[in-house]
Amino acid sequence: MILPKVSRLRCGSRVLDLSHPHVMGILNVTPDSFSDGGRYQGVEAALRHAEAMVRAGASLIDVGGESTRPGASPVGTSEELERVVPVVEAIARELDVIVSVDTSSAEVMREAARVGAGFINDVRSLSRSGAMQAAKDTGLPVCMMHMVGEPTTMQLNPRYEDVTQAVKTFLMERVEACARAGLPAERIVVDPGFGFAKTLGHNLTLFNRLEDLASLGHPLLVGVSRKSMIGQVLDRTVGGRLYGSLALAGLAIAKGANIVRVHDVAETVDVVRMIAAVRAAE
Ligand code: PT1
C-alpha cells in the first residue's frame, strides 16, 4: 500500500486525515442547474444536494461554476464568482464538510477561501494569471491536475510518447513551480486528469499505472465518475455508467488514490468502506 508523505491535510478550519480514502462529491453550479428560478433558488438547490452528499458520507464537496468537460467553453470571472461564492459560503456555514472550489480563477480562489472554502481544485494547475499567488495566500491545499491545452480543444489530437511519464513530469514541474512561488509541497495534491487531452488508450494506460503517480509522494486525487472512457469501454451513455464508475473508484483506491471525485456518493462510499474493512484486517 502506497501512502503519501503527508498524513493529513489542513483544509482551513478542518483536517483531512489521509490514513484512509475519501469521497469528494461533485456539485456543479453551471447554468443548467440554474435553468429555472433565480440565484437564491440555485443556492438552495445546491445546498440540498450538498447536504445529501454529506449525509451519504462525502468528506469534501467540490463546487464548480465552469464546465471543463471536453468542448466546454470558459466562463467570465464575474459570472463564475456569482455562481460559486454564495454556494461555497452556504455549504461552509451550514454543513460539516470540507468545501473544495473547482476553479482556475485567482479571484474565485480568494473569494471562496474568504467565505470558508478549505480546498482548491484547479484543472489548470495554477497557470492562469495571479492564480499561483492567490492559492499560496489562502494557505489551503491545492490539487494540481494534468491537462494539455484548454477544454475547448484538448481532445482534438492528444499525443504522447509515454503518457505516464508525461503526466509525472508535468505534475512534478508544477510542484516545483509552486515551491519557487512559496507554496509548499506539503499542500499539493496531484491528479492525472482523466479525460483531459487523452485518448481512451491514454486513459487506460494511465489508470493501469496509477501506482507510479501515487509513488510521487503527494496525495492522489482521481476523477473518472461517468466519464466517456467508461462509455467507450462499456458502450453506455452517461446515465448507464454507475457500475463502471464504481469499478474504477475501487481500483483507483486499490492503486493508492486518496480522494475519488464522484457524482454517486452513497454508492462510492460503500465501495470505500468495504476496502477499508479489508485493509483493517491486514
Ligand atoms: C478531474 C476533474 C475535475 N474532472 C479534478 N477536477 C472534471 N481534480 C472537472 C469525459 O471524458 O478529473 N479532476 N474537474 C470534469 N471533466 C471531464 C473530463 C468530464 C472528461 C467528463 C469527461 O467524459
Side-chain angles (χ1 to χ4, degrees):
M1 189 175 148
I2 310 165
L3 288 170
K5 282 176 195 150
V6 289
S7 61
R8 53 213 284 285
L9 284 175
R10 176 156 287 289
C11 302
S13 59
R14 297 175 200 276
V15 170
L16 191 69
D17 169 15
L18 296 170
S19 68
H20 63 92
H22 293 273
V23 173
M24 169 188 267
I26 300 169
L27 187 63
N28 288 318
V29 290
T30 38
D32 347 310
S33 32
F34 288 111
S35 53
D36 44 21
R39 281 301 162 198
Y40 176 75
Q41 277 184 33
V43 174
E44 281 298 297
L47 185 58
R48 280 195 301 275
H49 185 192
E51 188 178 12
M53 292 195 285
V54 173
R55 251 188 278 113
S59 305
L60 306 104
I61 301 292
D62 191 37
V63 181
E66 180 201 4
S67 174
T68 52
R69 66 170 52 108
S73 34
V75 61
T77 304
S78 57
E79 177 63 27
E80 195 186 349
L81 281 167
E82 281 179 45
R83 287 181 194 169
V84 167
V85 177
V87 174
V88 169
E89 185 168 30
I91 300 171
R93 186 182 57 234
E94 303 286 337
L95 304 177
D96 182 19
V97 73
I98 297 164
V99 186
S100 164
V101 60
D102 189 349
T103 188
S104 299
S105 153
E107 277 169 275
V108 176
M109 290 174 194
R110 288 189 194 279
E111 282 303 296
R114 191 178 60 78
V115 300
F119 190 94
I120 294 170
N121 174 27
D122 182 5
V123 300
R124 296 182 184 81
S125 297
L126 307 181
S127 65
R128 280 217 188 136
S129 169
M132 182 70 79
Q133 186 65 41
K136 180 201 162 199
D137 292 347
T138 64
L140 300 178
V142 185
C143 180
M144 303 298 238
M145 194 199 79
H146 177 267
M147 168 165 68
V148 180
E150 277 289 312
T152 37
T153 54
M154 66 187 177
Q155 290 305 104
L156 293 183
N157 191 20
R159 281 169 186 277
Y160 305 92
E161 197 178 304
D162 176 339
V163 67
T164 314
Q165 197 50 55
V167 168
K168 280 176 78 170
T169 303
F170 172 92
L171 291 171
M172 288 324 291
E173 282 173 6
R174 293 315 292 157
V175 170
E176 281 159 29
C178 288
R180 285 195 298 276
L183 199 163
E186 297 73 46
R187 275 170 44 198
I188 300 174
V189 172
V190 298
D191 180 338
F194 288 104
F196 289 90
K198 292 164 191 86
T199 63
L200 174 61
H202 294 143
N203 286 315
L204 295 176
T205 299
L206 204 46
F207 207 108
N208 201 25
R209 293 266 166 275
L210 216 46
E211 294 93 337
D212 294 9
L213 293 170
S215 69
L216 291 174
H218 291 269
L220 182 63
L221 191 156
V222 165
V224 285
S225 181
R226 300 183 187 173
K227 282 187 182 176
S228 58
M229 63 183 286
I230 297 166
Q232 287 170 279
V233 170
L234 302 179
D235 191 20
R236 302 245 192 265
T237 56
V238 172
R241 297 177 187 170
L242 174 61
Y243 303 146
S245 298
L246 295 177
L248 292 188
L251 191 55
I253 291 164
K255 286 173 172 285
N258 305 99
I259 304 170
V260 286
R261 181 182 180 278
V262 306
H263 300 89
D264 303 287
V265 171
E267 295 86 345
T268 310
V269 166
D270 273 6
V271 169
V272 169
R273 288 177 55 206
M274 275 318 302
I275 294 172
V278 171
R279 280 183 175 170
E282 276 168 3

